[in-house]
Each structure stands twice: as C-alpha cells, then as structure tokens.
Amino acid sequence: MAIQKSSAPTIIDVAERAGVSRATASRAMGGYGRIAAQTVEQVRRAAAELGYRPNEVARAMRQGRTRTIGLVIIADFTNAFFDRATKAIVDAAKSHGYQVLITNTDEDIAAERQAIETLIDKQVDGLIVVPSTAAVHDHLATVQKSGKPLVLFDRRVDGIVATTITTDDFSGTEAAVRHAYAMGHRRFGFLVAAAGNYGHSTERPAVMISSVEDRINGFMSGCADLGIKPKQQSWMFCEDNARDPEIAVAKLLDQPKAPTIILTTNNDMALVLLKTAGNRRLVIGKDISLITVDDSQWAAAMAPGITVVARPVEDLGSITVEKLLAEIDAPGQKAEKIVLPTELIARGSVANLVMYPENEPENY
Amino acid sequence: MAIQKSSAPTIIDVAERAGVSRATASRAMGGYGRIAAQTVEQVRRAAAELGYRPNEVARAMRQGRTRTIGLVIIADFTNAFFDRATKAIVDAAKSHGYQVLITNTDEDIAAERQAIETLIDKQVDGLIVVPSTAAVHDHLATVQKSGKPLVLFDRRVDGIVATTITTDDFSGTEAAVRHAYAMGHRRFGFLVAAAGNYGHSTERPAVMISSVEDRINGFMSGCADLGIKPKQQSWMFCEDNARDPEIAVAKLLDQPKAPTIILTTNNDMALVLLKTAGNRRLVIGKDISLITVDDSQWAAAMAPGITVVARPVEDLGSITVEKLLAEIDAPGQKAEKIVLPTELIARGSVANLVMYPENEPENY
DNA sequence: GAGATTTGCGAGAACGTTCTCACAAATCTT
DNA sequence: AAGATTTGTGAGAACGTTCTCGCAAATCTC
C-alpha cells in the first residue's frame, strides 16, 4: 500500500521512486542536458504513476520568468472591440505557451498605475497596456526602467519609446467622410467621445486618446479635401457617460440646419443616436444617417445595417502578442509603430441623397 | 555614489541598507511578528530609497499561495454576458487583492481540460469554471482531488459537488412565455442554440448546457400552464455556427402557420432572426415578435427595443468570487447551489395582438 | 533584587525547482 | 593500451521570500 501523501508530489518524490537524484529527475522531465534515454523513460514512468506535475511557481522562481504576460485594458461592453482584443491576446498567448493576467482599468489612470505595479510584482514577463490617456506616462517609463518589455495597444503615447500597435483611424474616418459625401451628404455631424470631465460641448478638449485624435484629424482632412466648409460641420465633444451623450445628440439634431449624417467615434455614441432617433420616429438610413466605428454582429444584423469603419481586432491582438514575445525572447528590439489598415463596411445606415439637389454644396 | 544593481533590489538589499537582518526586514515590510516601531520605520525608509518591491513569486513559493485565481470561460462576443461576467470577476477579485488568470475555451472540452491543468500548474488558489458541457466532468473531479477550491459559473454539472452560481432561467423563460401570451400571441417559435453537431432540427439533442435545459423546461412549463398546445409550438434546435441558424430561422418563418413570436435561447439566434426579418422586410414588433436572453445596449437602443430576459451578470460575478474566496480562506465550506433571479424587460419587439381575435386559442 | 515574563532580533531552514560543477564510467582515438 | 574525449549522474547552490526557533536584553512581578 502506497502511503497517502497529503500534498502534491514533487520532483523529489519522482526521483526517489525512479531511484535517481533530484537533478536527474529534473533533467528527465525537462528534457535538457545529458541524460540516458532509458533513465528518461524510467523517470517519466515514475512521474506518471505519481501524477506528478511540475510546480510552475517554483520553476518561475528558479528560471526568473513566469511565462505569464500582463494585460492592462479597459473593459467596454458596448463595443466588443476590447473584448475581442482580449480574446485575441489570450488565445495568441496561449498558442505560444503563455498565460495572461488581466486587469481592467475602466479608463482610470490611478487604476492603471496600480495594475501595472501589481503585475510587475507578480513578475509577468511582459506587459500589454491600453493607456487610458496620452497625458501621463511616468508609470510606463517605470515599467521600462524595470526592464520589463512593454507594448502599447491601440493607443499611442508620445514620450514613450515602445512598440505600439494601432489602427489607421485617420484614413478610416477620412474614408467614412468620403463615402458620406459620395452618397450626397453635405451637412456632417461629428460626435466625439472625449474622456475626462468635458460634459458636452463644441469646444475641443486638449488632451485625448490617440485613436480619437486620429479620427478627428481624419475627419478634418476628409472635409478639407472635399471642400466641406466649417458651417457644414457640427462638432460635438461629449463625455461617455449615462447623461451627456443624449444631450449631445439632441443638440446635433435640434439645430436649424441639422446634419444629414452623423459620424461617431464610438459605439456608445452610436447607440444613443439610434435610441434618440427611434424615440423621435426618425428612420436610420432615411431621415438620419450614421457611420460609426468597429464592426459588430448587431451593426450587421440591424435593419438597416449600420455602416462602420471596421478595425482588424484579431490581427491587432495577435501581432501585439508576437511583438511582445519577440522582445521577451530577445530584449533590445527596435521599438516599432505598427499601424493596421481599417476598412469601411458600407451598409444601409447611410441614406443615398444624390437625387436631392438642394443638398449640393452650391447651397452653402 | 551608489553602485548600480543590475536587477531589482531584494529584501536582502533592504536589510543591508537598514542595517538589520533579512528576517527583521521581512517582518518590517510584512507587518507581522514582534518588531519595534522604530525598526519598521528604518526598514521602510530603506525600502523606499531602493524602490524595493517584494517579489510575489518568491512569496507565493514560500507561502504556498499565489493570490491568483483561474478563470476558465468561453468568449462569446455576440453576447456581452461572459464579457461582463469576466469584468465583474476580475474587478471583484481585485477588490479582494486577487488577480485573475484567464483562459478561453471556445466551448471546447479539450481546451477546457488543458486550461484547467495549466492553471493548476500555475498554482492558482482557486478556479472558476464555465463548464462547456454537463456531460464530462472527470477533469473537474481532478481539480477537487488536487484540493483546489472550485466554483462553477452559470452552468450546473451533475455528478460534481461544487458550489454553483446560476440564474433562474427556468422562471425567466416561463415569464417570457407568459408575457407573449398576455400580448395575445398563440403561435410560438422556440429557437434553441445547441452546442454539438446537431445542425438544425426539431429533434431534441440529449446532452446540453444546464442553462439551456432550464430555458427549455421553462418554455414547456409556461406553455403547459397557459394551455398552449404542441401544435402551437414550433421548436428548432440549432448549432450555433455561421450557417445553420439562418436555415433554422427560415424553417420557422416558412411554415404554413408561422409563429407570431419567436423565443431564442441566445443572442446569436436573435441577431440572425433580426437579419432575416430585415431581409424579408418583416418589421420586428409588428410582423414578427422576438424575446431573447440577456440585456445589452443594442437591445435597448434599437427601434423597437428588444424584449429580453435579463440576468444579473455583475452580481453573478461578484458572488462567484466571494464564494470562491470563502472556500480558499476556509476550506471545507458546504457546496451551495445559488440561483439568482432573472428579470423580463419588456420593450417593443413583442407585438400587441390582443385585438386580433383570430389568434385566440379557440382557433386551435 | 531575583526570578519570571515579554520584547526584539538574527540564524538558518524551508518552499520546489533548475543549474553549475565535479567526477566516474564509458567510449573514442591513434 | 594509454591518453583524450564523451556520457551520465549526483551533490549542492541558488532563486527571494517567510517562518520557526533560540537567545539576549528589557521589563515586569512581589
């Protein structure tokens, strides 16, 4: 009768049962160093009989790496973007033998700071961070000083030299403007989600998230190219909370010469517009048009479907992991700025106005 | 000039700088054992000067616990349910000083097995599992034999004695049937997502997920109570993939006496119905009615809003964490089956037919 | 003020692994 | 067949903590 051990078997138990030393048992299990094939067999059998599984914490301790990466992200459920990114990152990491420790920051810089500290304390081998703001980056510098590889996801931070994977939101938004123009739209509403205490206003806040900045610049560039004048544009900056977006949408719609199309920089805004339109008996794609960002099943399934600027989330996630692991395996890689293309998916939410001559730019 | 250490400072460096022993430094940092207040101060200062942060891996090694829990979940982006649950779990864990290692199984039992093994190897202090099927549970038994606390999330597994947190999907679906009946509906379609290779058929598959089982039973119970006869019910079981749901929806709609309302057991199915309805120029809430499961921003924002059976995801997540941590802190807790209530949120997707007498049950 | 208790601290083991080194046995050279 | 090399193994250190113990100094007790 085998004696019942209270806790899990260790390599020492395996070594004893196989009649070899700890070192040899470890070599046999780890498949490294010089060791006789027969011994490996013997140790493996002993391990199997005992149900031995190596203790990864002890291993991490000795080897100085945990095969774990830390992900500091914002959770946003309106928008499957970060959820899909999370999945892509988790899956990609797994396929390389890494696990992921996740922390959610809710766009809060203090939470981000704390999350990063905790993950470093837990000795993750590298960090993927979605920075909640471009304004603060001393904590990111601290990561780098600690020697941990760091990759920024979806948002650039100036002042930090780190590999950054983003999407081409500039061109994406430009394309959206162009599409709307081609469909005959001449009065544009632009609804910009701006984190920070801005309430809702037409005044552009100073510091923002790079992806949002890119969308703003893309919008301006598109308008400039097509000769869409400032008076044909209604901008609205709006905090992404429960109250302000409704007010912002109402302001856009209640203008004397209301826009025929509204572009939004995130799906919260788009959904508020949808809701408001529904309440006012305005039909999307007919009475009011909409283009938003990020494709989703609901955007595709609605009638009419919502025209979106889609981002390659899965690629974004897997490339991010690959870059991070490359830096982990061989520190000192050159920091890259990788920008993946966006794609305009035209659906029915943009009305075709080309037959209405009163919308021609001449009238402005 | 201080000598630049290549790697992070350890407790030994702190001890040296403070002029005390390793043990004393550790006591000062950890705030345990007998130690003079003045010494604590001295050590703290030395630690701060060096930027010392305790190595959590070493700590885990010594203490035999990692303050990390493992989450084995399925990622499902149609449906924010599991994403919101993930966030709730991550946040709740953090508030108790725990971090979360996440693995996604994609409903695959082999992936689930492997994920559990990996997480145990990583010495998580406990596991939260969304079992991909109720049919297999030897791997869950293995977890328990390992002595790791285990809590099941959202789905019951018979044959395993473990605390299980679920929602009352039975009553939720029953309430949905009752609501539809009250609105005058007498011909019910029931679209059931069934994992496994069932394609699309009216034949009920054998083994399923408990939440889906509950919905089926709730539907049957509701129909029985209200006297809705089998010929007034059209059932369709359907694999949740890219092809079959469309066929299943078409089959439901193409019947000679098509249902006036369709209940779906998940949002994939609901979105396919929405899409098909749109293509056929059927207006939701007028030509065809719909009730699905889980509230979401899009369900609320659409025009008309979608009537749903909502589940208290955040509570589900935080209670799950609390139960798991209770078991971690004091092993040997009694396994509980916790069932949280659901809530029917009535919106416009259910047409009011009470004025159409031809739909009265007499006609059947 | 002598014994009993409390206080504060250090030495060293322990957690489970891997890695370096040394060394004997086996095999290869010429 | 004697030296050189290769092969296989074990002893012991190391990773960075915490914890148990023991002991001296300080304080209490009557």
Side-chain angles (χ1 to χ4, degrees):
Chain A
M1 264 291 117
I3 290 163
Q4 186 68 34
K5 288 272 297 196
S6 56
S7 58
T10 71
I11 194 76
I12 298 184
D13 302 317
V14 175
E16 268 172 18
R17 175 171 261 258
V20 297
S21 73
R22 220 162 65 258
T24 301
S26 183
R27 272 189 285 257
M29 295 307 295
Y32 65 93
R34 295 196 197 300
I35 189 162
Q38 194 198 336
T39 313
V40 172
E41 169 64 18
Q42 202 175 315
V43 172
R44 286 270 164 82
R45 191 165 44 233
E49 284 163 5
L50 291 171
Y52 169 76
R53 308 231 84 214
N55 180 325
E56 291 295 333
V57 169
R59 197 175 236 177
M61 172 83 170
R62 173 69 236 225
Q63 299 190 324
R65 82 195 143 141
T66 53
R67 292 209 175 276
T68 302
I69 61 180
L71 174 59
V72 179
I73 202 163
I74 61 168
D76 177 354
F77 301 114
T78 320
N79 183 329
F81 180 73
F82 289 110
D83 296 326
R84 286 171 64 191
T86 300
K87 172 174 156 60
I89 287 168
V90 168
D91 288 351
K94 184 167 77 174
S95 79
H96 290 92
Y98 278 74
Q99 302 301 121
V100 182
L101 269 174
I102 298 189
T103 318
N104 165 42
T105 62
D106 284 323
E107 301 264 16
D108 175 43
I109 183 71
E112 180 176 322
R113 251 207 180 85
Q114 216 237 299
I116 287 176
E117 274 192 352
T118 306
L119 292 176
I120 291 183
D121 290 352
K122 291 242 172 186
Q123 309 293 120
V124 295
D125 294 341
L127 280 167
I128 297 170
V129 175
V130 179
S132 57
T133 170
V136 182
H137 55 258
D138 58 288
H139 58 311
L140 299 176
T142 307
V143 173
Q144 297 187 309
K145 250 186 299 183
S146 83
K148 297 280 180 207
L150 168 70
V151 172
L152 300 182
F153 184 88
D154 185 55
R155 298 169 175 184
R156 294 185 308 276
V157 175
D158 295 338
I160 286 289
V161 181
T163 291
T164 305
I165 290 93
T166 57
T167 51
D168 190 355
D169 293 301
F170 178 90
S171 304
T173 311
E174 219 179 30
V177 172
R178 210 169 283 136
H179 173 68
Y181 188 90
M183 295 290 273
H185 291 266
R186 296 297 179 266
R187 294 200 306 274
F188 287 75
F190 191 32
L191 190 49
V192 182
N197 255 324
Y198 304 115
H200 49 278
S201 85
T202 57
E203 212 171 315
R204 178 169 177 178
V207 173
M208 303 183 73
I209 292 160
S210 75
S211 55
V212 177
E213 286 278 4
D214 292 350
R215 286 170 202 156
I216 291 173
N217 292 333
F219 182 79
M220 295 201 303
S221 165
C223 287
D225 282 2
L226 297 166
I228 300 167
K229 305 195 193 76
K231 60 187 293 194
Q232 294 171 267
Q233 306 169 20
S234 311
W235 294 56
M236 190 66 67
F237 294 91
C238 179
E239 184 154 16
D240 193 351
N241 59 21
R243 217 188 68 247
D244 292 316
E246 291 198 20
I247 303 175
V249 166
K251 278 192 179 175
L252 280 179
L253 295 178
D254 288 341
Q255 293 170 93
K257 277 208 152 192
T260 59
I261 182 161
I262 295 180
L263 275 63
T264 63
T265 64
N266 80 10
N267 278 323
D268 268 326
M269 303 295 147
L271 286 168
V272 169
L273 175 61
L274 248 44
K275 198 170 195 171
T276 306
N279 290 341
R280 295 182 176 208
R281 302 272 178 275
L282 297 176
V283 176
I284 298 288
K286 195 164 151 253
D287 306 318
I288 181 76
S289 295
L290 167 67
I291 302 181
T292 184
V293 132
D294 288 328
D295 199 15
S296 60
Q297 298 226 30
W298 58 262
M302 286 184 67
I306 308 296
T307 296
V308 297
V309 177
R311 294 187 284 173
V313 204
E314 278 74 22
D315 291 348
L316 212 54
S318 58
I319 290 177
T320 301
V321 169
E322 273 156 31
K323 288 299 169 190
L324 183 65
L325 295 189
E327 172 73 19
I328 290 172
D329 289 342
Q333 304 272 326
K334 198 170 68 220
E336 293 177 75
K337 305 285 173 194
I338 299 174
V339 181
L340 300 187
T342 55
E343 183 193 1
L344 183 82
I345 301 180
R347 299 202 178 96
S349 69
V350 178
N352 189 337
L353 302 183
V354 287
M355 64 289 288
Y356 299 106
E358 74 267 21
N359 281 304
E360 287 302 310
E362 289 72 273
N363 293 351
Y364 286 87
Chain B
M1 264 294 117
I3 291 163
Q4 186 69 30
K5 286 273 296 196
S6 56
S7 57
T10 71
I11 193 79
I12 298 185
D13 301 317
V14 174
E16 268 172 18
R17 175 172 262 257
V20 297
S21 73
R22 222 164 61 258
T24 302
S26 183
R27 270 189 286 256
M29 295 308 294
Y32 65 93
R34 292 195 199 302
I35 187 161
Q38 193 198 337
T39 313
V40 171
E41 169 63 18
Q42 202 174 316
V43 172
R44 287 270 163 83
R45 191 165 43 232
E49 283 163 6
L50 291 170
Y52 169 77
R53 306 231 86 215
N55 180 324
E56 291 294 334
V57 169
R59 197 175 235 178
M61 172 82 171
R62 173 68 237 225
Q63 299 189 323
R65 83 194 143 144
T66 52
R67 292 210 174 277
T68 303
I69 61 181
L71 174 59
V72 180
I73 202 163
I74 61 169
D76 177 355
F77 302 113
T78 320
N79 180 332
F81 180 73
F82 288 110
D83 296 327
R84 287 171 64 191
T86 300
K87 171 173 155 59
I89 287 168
V90 167
D91 288 352
K94 184 167 75 175
S95 79
H96 289 92
Y98 278 74
Q99 302 301 120
V100 182
L101 270 174
I102 297 190
T103 319
N104 165 42
T105 63
D106 283 322
E107 301 264 15
D108 175 43
I109 183 71
E112 181 176 322
R113 252 210 178 82
Q114 216 235 300
I116 286 176
E117 273 192 352
T118 306
L119 292 176
I120 291 183
D121 290 352
K122 291 242 172 185
Q123 310 294 121
V124 294
D125 294 340
L127 278 167
I128 297 171
V129 175
V130 179
S132 57
T133 169
V136 182
H137 54 259
D138 58 290
H139 59 310
L140 298 176
T142 307
V143 174
Q144 296 187 311
K145 248 186 296 181
S146 84
K148 296 280 180 209
L150 168 69
V151 171
L152 300 183
F153 184 88
D154 185 54
R155 299 169 176 183
R156 293 185 307 275
V157 175
D158 295 339
I160 287 288
V161 180
T163 291
T164 306
I165 291 92
T166 56
T167 51
D168 190 355
D169 293 301
F170 178 91
S171 304
T173 311
E174 217 179 30
V177 172
R178 210 168 284 136
H179 174 67
Y181 187 90
M183 295 289 275
H185 291 267
R186 296 298 180 267
R187 294 199 306 275
F188 286 75
F190 192 34
L191 190 47
V192 182
N197 254 325
Y198 305 114
H200 48 277
S201 84
T202 56
E203 212 172 312
R204 178 170 178 175
V207 172
M208 303 182 73
I209 292 160
S210 74
S211 55
V212 177
E213 287 277 4
D214 292 350
R215 287 171 201 157
I216 291 173
N217 292 334
F219 183 79
M220 294 201 303
S221 164
C223 286
D225 282 2
L226 297 166
I228 300 166
K229 304 195 194 77
K231 61 187 296 196
Q232 293 170 268
Q233 307 169 20
S234 309
W235 294 56
M236 191 66 67
F237 294 91
C238 180
E239 185 154 15
D240 193 349
N241 58 22
R243 215 186 71 247
D244 293 316
E246 290 198 21
I247 303 174
V249 166
K251 279 192 179 175
L252 280 179
L253 295 178
D254 289 340
Q255 293 171 91
K257 277 208 152 193
T260 58
I261 183 162
I262 295 181
L263 275 62
T264 62
T265 63
N266 79 10
N267 279 322
D268 269 326
M269 303 294 147
L271 286 168
V272 170
L273 175 61
L274 247 45
K275 197 168 195 171
T276 306
N279 290 342
R280 294 182 176 208
R281 305 270 179 273
L282 297 175
V283 176
I284 298 288
K286 195 164 150 248
D287 305 318
I288 181 75
S289 295
L290 167 66
I291 302 180
T292 184
V293 131
D294 287 328
D295 198 15
S296 60
Q297 299 226 30
W298 58 262
M302 286 186 67
I306 308 295
T307 296
V308 297
V309 177
R311 295 188 284 173
V313 204
E314 278 73 23
D315 291 348
L316 212 53
S318 58
I319 291 177
T320 300
V321 169
E322 273 156 31
K323 289 299 169 190
L324 183 65
L325 295 188
E327 173 73 20
I328 290 172
D329 289 343
Q333 304 271 325
K334 198 169 71 220
E336 293 176 75
K337 305 286 173 195
I338 298 174
V339 181
L340 300 187
T342 55
E343 182 193 2
L344 183 82
I345 302 180
R347 298 200 178 97
S349 69
V350 178
N352 189 338
L353 302 183
V354 287
M355 64 289 285
Y356 298 106
E358 74 267 20
N359 280 304
E360 288 301 309
E362 288 72 274
N363 292 352
Y364 285 87

